[in-house]
Amino acid sequence: MGFEEKIVKLLWKEGRCREELLEIYEEAPDDEDFVLLKMKLTDEVISFKSENCFEA
């Protein structure tokens, strides 16, 4: 179970811009039929799982 890390730039409503680390799993750890995208924002970890990266 491996994943790739990418730095992405986020633009907030207030006009702030910051860089965050995005983890991309081609096979989600709990279901290999789905991809998983995961990012830590401040104190919260958000993740989305779907059949492909565009839907996630």
Side-chain angles (χ1 to χ4, degrees):
M1 170 189 72
F3 63 92
E4 188 175 342
E5 295 180 327
K6 296 285 184 182
I7 300 292
V8 295
K9 290 185 179 183
L10 303 176
L11 181 62
W12 299 95
K13 289 181 187 178
E14 307 86 30
R16 293 183 304 141
C17 183
R18 63 189 255 193
E19 294 183 348
E20 295 294 341
L21 186 64
L22 174 67
E23 295 178 2
I24 305 166
Y25 295 79
E26 289 185 22
E27 294 180 353
D30 61 341
D31 189 343
E32 63 185 34
D33 292 332
F34 288 92
V35 298
L36 173 67
L37 303 179
K38 186 164 53 169
M39 180 183 293
K40 182 176 182 184
L41 297 173
T42 316
D43 296 330
E44 182 180 2
V45 175
I46 60 170
S47 61
F48 298 96
K49 184 168 59 169
S50 189
E51 291 180 356
N52 61 60
C53 287
F54 294 105
E55 289 181 15

